[in-house]
Amino acid sequence: MIERESELAELAAAFAESAAGGVRVVVLQGVVGTGKTALLEEFGVRVREAGARLLRASGAPTESSLSLGIVRQLLAGEAFDREGAAMVRGLLDHRLLADAACDGVTRSRVLDGLATAVLELAEQSTVVIAIDDTQYLDAFSQDWLIYLLRRAGCARLLVVFGWRDDDIEMSPDNSRLLCAELYQQSYLRRLLLAPLSSSGVAQLMAGRLSESGSTELAAQAHRLTGGNLLLLHGLLEDSRAAAGGDGLPAQLSTGPEFERAVQLVLARCDPATLRVAGAVSVIGEPSGFAYLDRLVGVPSDRVAVAMQVLTRTGLVEAGRMRHPVMAHVVLNAFSAADRSELSRRAVDLLRACGADSLTIAEHFVASGRLDDPSAVLNLVEGAKQALKEGHARRATELLRLAYQVDTGGRRRVEILALLLRAGWREDLRASVGHLPELTEAMLGGRLRGRDTTLPVIMLLLQGRVEDACSVLSRLAADVPPGSGPSWELEMVRMWLADVYPGIFRRVACESRESVMPVVPPGAFGYRLLKHFQGSHYVGASAEGLVRTDEALWQQPLTEINLLPLILALRTMVYAERLEEAEQRCRELMQACLDLQAPTWRALFCSIAADIALRRGSLGVAASRASAALELLPVADWGVLAAEPLSTLLTAQTLQGKHEEAARTLALRVPDVMFETPFGLSYLLARGRHYVERGLAQVALDDFQAVADLLDQWGMAQSETLSWRTEMAAAHLQLGNHETAARFAREQLRRIGTDGHLRVRGRTMRLLAATRDLHRRPPMLREAVDVLHRSGDKFELASALAALHDAYTRLGDAGRARSVARKTNSIRQACFAEQPVRRVGAPDVLEETEVDMLALSDAERRVAKAAARGLTNREIAGKLYLTTSTVEQHLTRIYRKLGVSSRVQLQSRLGVQSPSPTPPSRTPPPSRSRDGPRHPGETTTGGVGDRARPSKDLEGSFRTTLTDAVVSLHRWRGRCSGGEEHPVLVPVAVAPQRCSFTWLSSCPITLISPITEGGVIA
């Protein structure tokens, strides 16, 4: 008995006192689920073992009107001998009891005879009478108990009552007299049973689950159940079932057993308490409890008592249901008509008390009163509040319902505009489908003001420029003469000029007003856009970047602020403040998760991909760009599709994954995208891909198109689109060294010596390639220094590789070795070496720290579990998923992180394998007990594997061995004065089928223990 030792001690003391001679009465009081019945049973076992005579009975609501129903339970059975049993049966005869109801003499005969039978038993041994649920005691049994106690005297008699005090509406005729009689007696003990504490819950869990549970899990169980034993047992049963029935569950789960326990608790509540529970479940917020009495239809003092009972039973905490499942079970206890009526009354009361719009809208839906004239208005207002609080999905549901209910179409346009706002966060494709109707409404003057801002922006992003310009002209015509346009309208115009610089000059200048708009203090989006307009293409001042920081830290993420925040982030990226930009980007992506806005998250994920690409982290860049395109398909991006596609195409190209890059290039993009600066980035990425594939002549057309469009738009001075550097790379491949040098020098002249480190370093490397061999090292050393400061590991490795090649060809072996060591140190700081792109090109580098931005929350949990070595089945049981779902998650995880096996996933996440395979000649088959861990997973050979090793293993081995060779050469020279001596290098791991021809010039012997002392040269 957990946390019941003191009660058992009190019962034992009362039993000892009664055995010594004297009546004792113990009342065990508590609500349902506090363990009264279990305590009575445990005490009954103990008194039987002590030789006492135990008489047991239990009350019930259905038997509270049966005459002597409790006494019949107590005295039936084997308590008496044959003669005594016959006398008791005669006194309990139904006809005799019927006469006793109207005849005092007969009634007295029955009471005295039954009491005498019990007192005679007490002369033989101690008699213990235990009655559970005494609150349902019938009137005749109550009279008999009072009669017995008054005449017991010094009889060895102990009476234990289990009294549940949560049924407030028990019959007033039953038990009231007994309470008055007992509470004034000195032989009475009252024991109040409380629910289990958190430590008691932990102790019970350890006993039920055969393991010692965590303190956190026990505290969570206590929060969910309030220590109520019925609820706790149901919760543990469901949790064990969810965990497969083995050991301690990873987390608690509610299910059918928990719901059944809640139903049992509710079944013990009186009707008024049940109605109060229904009202609490309907309202859901503690603020509504002030008018629960009007909602339930009972006095406020009765509501207060019911709330105390519900709190003590563990259903309610701080004025609300502890768990949504509890509220669901409570409402299911009512009929559909009663639930609807309860919600209808809640709507009226909430509206009268000034409740918030979303709460009223929720109750409107629950009540089914959609034919009410105010239904559409309440649904729309509730949706607006849901959007403001970040509940886009709920707002969409309310708006779609309002759209169906609004048969007259009076608020149809407003609903569609709000649907666009909500859908832009979560379901962009469904929202874009409403653009034609919204465009017609704006042109017809039925949609004006702030509601037009987002539709026009969406028209621009979807490439519907003509419609956007027509709408802007129509909105400008509505501006009264002499007054300025709205700041929202001016903001859209600025976006048009920024996104479509060429089209804007032709069709939008005519609507520009000379009067400045009135900008309210809260119009952050307009102010930020005004400040940074065009700066992300031509550079930003230090003061501007400081303002960007303040904007990103202080402003909320809303529909109006989204695009200006993206613009501010872009400004930081182009100013090469990559670490700060990524930090802000992570914060905004987390805000998108909180706001349930996957579309917005895709936009910031695209920026994060560009940041990774600028750092030379090609694998991270590719995974982030792929994640962005998975969150939002290419067709839904509109002209913004160029952003993730450019990053993905460049990353795949530089990784040498030309087939994947070709598939990316084959994705269809809108033609109007090339009327935007986003399209220029796409053209540069496509041209660079052509150069890497040996199609430099084709690439020149793309680079020249970029130059022509910039000149046409008046943006020829742009410093961020380095088309001249790409021109130099293309001409260099074609062998036009003079032309390549001319473009490179022009690029360096335009960007100057401040900033643009990545472009400057790469351009200097290309310029060095156009010079004579002996003139290359100085410029390449400068390029290395610049690229080191830029943080771009890929370009830095490329410059080092070019410098190493120059020193090698010049015969300067010492400097070549020094550069090689620097290159190796960079590679070791990265995750893994990738396949070589082409002869003479550096290996692609990757970050050691895994990038998790590309994974969803569910994918992160699966990835961490898989990296710890769990099988698919074990992951499914731990995370409460199906095995098929785990496999689908792993498929996406492998693609996003660029791995093909769990071994690579462990390395990527930095997790050590829990049970590494020891070296052996014949490796065990790589198959788990539940089959292959992943359908498309490849296996990597362990130590001694005969299979072909992975390129990661070979690359790591080669890098380590290269360092060893260099060190041994230097050691041999110092020790022997240049004399040749063979050097033996023990090799613990020698991958099979690796090419060691690159060591042919080294007089070093490798001894492999795998060949049992055999020597390989």
Side-chain angles (χ1 to χ4, degrees):
M1 299 297 293
I2 299 174
E3 294 188 341
R4 293 293 179 259
E5 293 81 4
S6 61
E7 288 82 359
L8 283 171
E10 289 284 349
L11 287 170
F15 175 70
E17 293 171 3
S18 64
V23 176
R24 294 293 183 270
V25 177
V26 180
V27 176
L28 303 175
Q29 279 186 264
V31 297
V32 59
T34 49
K36 299 182 304 301
T37 302
L39 184 59
L40 283 173
E41 290 177 353
E42 175 65 22
F43 180 64
V45 171
R46 296 188 181 188
V47 297
R48 278 201 186 100
E49 292 175 351
R53 191 69 61 86
L54 177 66
L55 306 178
R56 285 292 311 272
S58 179
T62 56
E63 298 183 6
S64 60
S65 60
L66 297 180
S67 183
L68 285 183
I70 290 293
V71 177
R72 193 179 299 276
Q73 291 184 54
L74 289 172
L75 305 184
E78 301 178 358
F80 303 95
D81 55 21
R82 180 177 301 178
E83 182 179 351
M87 182 196 67
V88 169
R89 284 197 301 271
L91 291 173
L92 293 176
D93 181 75
H94 293 290
R95 283 175 292 184
L96 183 62
L97 294 181
D99 294 339
C102 55
D103 180 20
V105 176
T106 305
R107 184 180 184 86
S108 177
R109 175 189 165 194
V110 171
L111 291 175
D112 184 68
L114 294 175
T116 299
V118 173
L119 293 176
E120 288 177 354
L121 284 177
E123 293 176 358
Q124 304 171 14
S125 62
T126 304
V127 175
V128 176
I129 297 177
I131 304 176
D132 198 9
D133 281 339
T134 313
Q135 71 276 5
Y136 298 124
L137 194 67
D138 63 275
F140 207 164
S141 295
Q142 168 191 270
D143 293 343
W144 178 79
L145 284 169
I146 294 174
Y147 187 90
L148 174 67
L149 291 173
R150 285 181 176 180
R151 283 156 180 75
C154 294
R156 292 181 292 176
L157 179 65
L158 171 62
V159 182
V160 181
F161 294 124
W163 207 300
R164 215 184 73 240
D165 54 5
D166 51 10
D167 194 340
I168 306 169
E169 292 188 352
M170 60 185 177
S171 174
D173 297 330
N174 299 353
S175 308
R176 178 176 294 178
L177 181 60
L178 181 62
C179 292
E181 179 70 22
L182 294 178
Y183 285 6
Q184 61 185 354
Q185 302 298 331
S186 59
Y187 54 66
L188 175 70
R189 279 185 172 93
R190 291 181 61 199
L191 304 179
L192 301 179
L193 302 182
L196 294 183
S197 65
S198 184
S199 59
V201 170
Q203 187 178 350
L204 184 143
M205 290 175 63
R208 285 289 302 276
L209 303 175
S210 302
E211 292 184 30
S212 87
S214 67
T215 305
E216 181 180 354
L217 208 62
Q220 182 185 0
H222 187 266
R223 286 194 301 270
L224 289 176
T225 64
N228 184 295
L229 286 169
L230 274 177
L231 302 176
L232 183 59
H233 287 308
L235 180 66
L236 295 182
E237 286 297 323
D238 288 332
S239 299
R240 286 186 61 186
D246 298 327
L248 190 69
Q251 62 183 23
L252 299 176
S253 301
T254 59
E257 292 300 324
F258 184 73
E259 293 183 10
R260 191 174 296 111
V262 176
Q263 291 171 352
L264 289 175
V265 173
L266 293 173
R268 304 295 181 88
C269 295
D270 59 87
T273 302
L274 183 59
R275 289 197 300 272
V276 172
V280 172
S281 302
V282 165
I283 293 179
E285 294 295 332
S287 59
F289 297 147
Y291 42 85
L292 275 179
D293 52 346
R294 286 181 283 171
L295 183 57
V296 180
V298 298
S300 57
D301 57 344
R302 178 65 180 82
V303 170
V305 174
M307 288 296 294
Q308 292 177 1
V309 169
L310 292 171
T311 302
R312 292 172 59 199
T313 57
L315 294 178
V316 170
E317 181 185 30
R320 70 176 69 191
M321 288 291 168
R322 284 183 179 268
H323 195 277
V325 170
M326 295 178 177
H328 175 72
V329 174
V330 169
L331 292 178
N332 280 344
F334 295 83
S335 66
D338 290 340
R339 289 197 300 269
S340 178
E341 177 62 19
L342 197 58
S343 296
R344 184 192 63 79
R345 296 180 64 183
V347 168
D348 296 335
L349 286 172
L350 290 169
R351 187 187 295 162
C353 295
D356 62 273
S357 303
L358 181 56
T359 301
I360 294 175
E362 297 280 4
H363 288 295
F364 246 109
V365 176
S367 67
R369 295 175 55 189
L370 299 180
D371 56 344
D372 189 293
S374 62
V376 175
L377 175 61
N378 283 284
L379 292 174
V380 170
E381 293 300 321
K384 289 180 179 179
Q385 181 179 339
L387 277 175
K388 185 177 181 181
E389 296 176 358
H391 306 300
R393 189 170 304 171
R394 188 56 185 143
T396 301
E397 293 172 356
L398 292 174
L399 289 169
R400 287 174 178 168
L401 187 58
Y403 188 82
Q404 296 173 4
V405 174
D406 187 23
T407 55
R410 288 169 296 187
R411 305 182 69 93
R412 187 183 187 94
V413 174
E414 179 186 1
I415 294 172
L416 289 179
L418 289 172
L419 269 173
L420 184 63
R421 287 180 56 192
W424 192 17
R425 302 184 183 190
E426 184 180 17
D427 188 4
L428 184 61
R429 179 171 299 180
S431 302
V432 170
H434 300 302
L435 278 178
E437 191 170 352
L438 289 171
T439 301
E440 183 181 352
M442 289 186 289
L443 292 174
R446 290 181 287 118
L447 186 64
R448 300 180 180 179
R450 184 178 182 181
D451 290 336
T452 63
T453 304
L454 187 57
V456 176
I457 291 177
M458 292 306 301
L459 287 173
L460 295 175
L461 296 182
Q462 291 299 312
R464 305 180 184 182
V465 183
E466 296 297 332
D467 289 340
C469 292
S470 299
V471 169
L472 287 175
S473 299
R474 177 66 174 83
L475 295 176
D478 293 338
V479 177
S483 61
S486 66
W487 66 270
E488 294 96 339
L489 177 60
E490 191 62 22
M491 180 177 176
V492 173
R493 287 177 177 173
M494 286 190 289
W495 268 110
L496 180 60
D498 215 26
V499 176
Y500 295 96
I503 297 177
F504 175 79
R505 300 174 98 187
R506 296 196 303 269
V507 300
C509 288
E510 60 186 30
S511 62
R512 181 176 298 174
E513 296 287 341
S514 58
V515 182
M516 292 298 295
V518 178
V519 183
F524 159 75
Y526 172 84
R527 297 176 185 275
L528 186 63
L529 182 60
K530 183 71 175 176
H531 180 77
F532 287 106
Q533 186 180 20
S535 64
H536 56 304
Y537 296 123
V538 298
S541 64
E543 178 186 0
L545 290 176
V546 170
R547 296 185 188 179
T548 305
D549 290 345
E550 295 175 356
L552 290 171
W553 277 108
Q554 298 176 5
Q555 299 301 324
L557 185 58
T558 63
E559 295 86 357
I560 298 298
N561 292 344
L562 174 65
L563 294 180
L565 283 171
I566 291 176
L567 178 59
L569 266 179
R570 282 293 179 195
T571 303
M572 296 182 71
V573 170
Y574 290 138
E576 298 184 339
R577 293 176 54 173
L578 300 183
E579 291 186 6
E580 297 173 59
E582 181 158 15
Q583 176 63 27
R584 305 299 188 266
C585 201
R586 287 180 181 271
E587 294 167 1
L588 289 168
M589 289 180 71
Q590 183 59 48
C592 293
L593 286 174
D594 298 338
L595 293 173
Q596 300 177 359
T599 300
W600 296 0
R601 189 165 183 256
L603 298 175
F604 291 115
C605 195
S606 175
I607 298 176
D610 185 39
I611 293 173
L613 181 63
R614 290 168 181 269
R615 287 178 166 178
S617 304
L618 305 181
V620 176
S623 66
R624 289 180 179 177
S626 298
L629 293 171
E630 185 173 328
L631 287 168
L632 191 62
V634 175
D636 296 342
W637 280 82
V639 298
L640 293 180
E643 295 280 276
L645 287 177
S646 301
T647 302
L648 180 60
L649 180 59
T650 302
Q652 292 171 338
T653 298
L654 299 183
Q655 284 178 304
K657 300 178 179 179
H658 297 305
E659 292 183 1
E660 295 183 16
R663 287 194 292 269
T664 300
L665 199 58
L667 294 175
R668 185 174 181 181
V669 295
D671 293 336
V672 73
M673 183 181 77
F674 299 102
E675 296 282 353
T676 71
F678 311 115
L680 303 190
S681 300
Y682 182 83
L683 287 174
L684 291 178
R686 188 173 71 180
R688 190 166 187 180
H689 171 72
Y690 288 151
V691 170
E692 295 293 326
R693 295 302 301 270
L695 303 173
Q697 193 63 51
V698 180
L700 289 176
D701 294 337
D702 281 345
F703 301 149
Q704 189 59 50
V706 173
D708 294 341
L709 287 172
L710 287 175
D711 184 64
Q712 179 181 343
W713 298 343
M715 299 171 58
Q717 302 302 318
S718 174
E719 302 169 359
T720 59
L721 296 171
S722 54
W723 62 270
R724 294 178 180 84
T725 299
E726 304 305 332
M727 279 282 199
H731 282 289
L732 189 62
Q733 188 183 87
L734 293 172
N736 303 329
H737 285 201
E738 293 184 4
T739 306
R742 177 167 53 83
F743 277 110
R745 286 193 296 269
E746 178 64 17
Q747 182 69 63
L748 292 173
R749 186 186 67 80
R750 286 181 174 273
I751 62 177
T753 57
D754 298 328
H756 304 287
L757 298 178
R758 291 177 62 255
V759 177
R760 185 147 53 93
R762 180 165 182 256
T763 306
M764 292 175 69
R765 175 174 66 83
L766 295 173
L767 181 59
T770 65
R771 296 187 174 183
D772 295 336
L773 182 60
H774 67 278
R775 297 176 57 195
R776 293 179 187 177
M779 179 164 286
L780 287 174
R781 286 196 297 269
E782 185 178 355
V784 167
D785 178 66
V786 170
L787 290 169
H788 178 75
R789 288 184 286 128
S790 76
D792 190 330
K793 296 188 293 294
F794 176 82
E795 291 296 342
L796 176 59
S798 299
L800 284 171
L803 184 59
H804 176 270
D805 179 70
Y807 282 140
T808 301
R809 293 171 62 184
L810 289 171
D812 194 341
R815 290 184 177 180
R817 286 196 299 270
S818 176
V819 173
R821 285 195 298 271
K822 293 179 181 178
T823 306
N824 290 334
S825 66
I826 295 175
R827 290 172 177 170
Q828 291 169 5
C830 302
F831 165 68
E833 294 177 301
Q834 302 289 337
V836 178
R837 293 184 294 123
R838 63 177 186 273
V839 178
D843 291 341
V844 177
L845 302 177
E846 185 60 279
E847 288 185 341
T848 52
E849 181 183 0
V850 65
D851 179 72
M852 302 294 280
L853 284 176
L855 303 183
S856 65
D857 290 340
E859 290 168 353
R860 289 172 188 163
R861 291 192 292 269
V862 171
K864 291 177 181 178
R868 289 196 296 269
L870 299 182
T871 65
N872 291 356
R873 187 177 303 169
E874 291 168 343
I875 297 173
K878 184 178 181 61
L879 301 180
Y880 310 115
L881 302 171
T882 65
T883 305
S884 175
T885 301
V886 172
E887 291 176 354
Q888 293 171 12
H889 280 316
L890 283 174
T891 299
R892 290 191 291 269
I893 291 167
Y894 284 12
R895 183 176 67 251
K896 290 180 179 181
L897 297 185
V899 299
S900 59
S901 69
R902 295 197 181 207
V903 174
Q904 293 180 6
L905 183 62
Q906 287 175 351
S907 300
R908 189 76 191 272
L909 294 178
V911 177
Q912 296 294 330
S913 177
S915 54
T917 304
S920 62
R921 289 181 179 275
T922 305
S926 58
R927 182 177 295 272
S928 66
R929 64 171 180 262
D930 57 344
R933 297 196 174 191
H934 183 64
E937 181 174 316
T938 60
T939 57
T940 303
V943 177
D945 285 356
R946 300 300 182 185
R948 184 177 181 87
S950 69
K951 293 185 179 179
D952 292 343
L953 181 59
E954 181 177 347
S956 177
F957 177 75
R958 289 178 57 161
T959 300
T960 304
L961 197 53
T962 300
D963 292 342
V965 169
V966 172
S967 299
L968 287 168
H969 265 298
R970 298 174 66 184
W971 172 82
R972 184 182 59 184
R974 288 196 302 268
C975 294
S976 62
E979 184 179 355
E980 292 291 336
H981 289 285
V983 179
L984 302 182
V985 181
V987 182
V989 180
Q992 304 299 313
R993 301 186 185 178
C994 290
S995 173
F996 296 105
T997 56
W998 49 280
L999 283 175
S1000 58
S1001 61
C1002 302
I1004 294 178
T1005 301
L1006 305 179
I1007 299 179
S1008 172
I1010 297 176
T1011 60
E1012 298 180 357
V1015 176
I1016 57 175

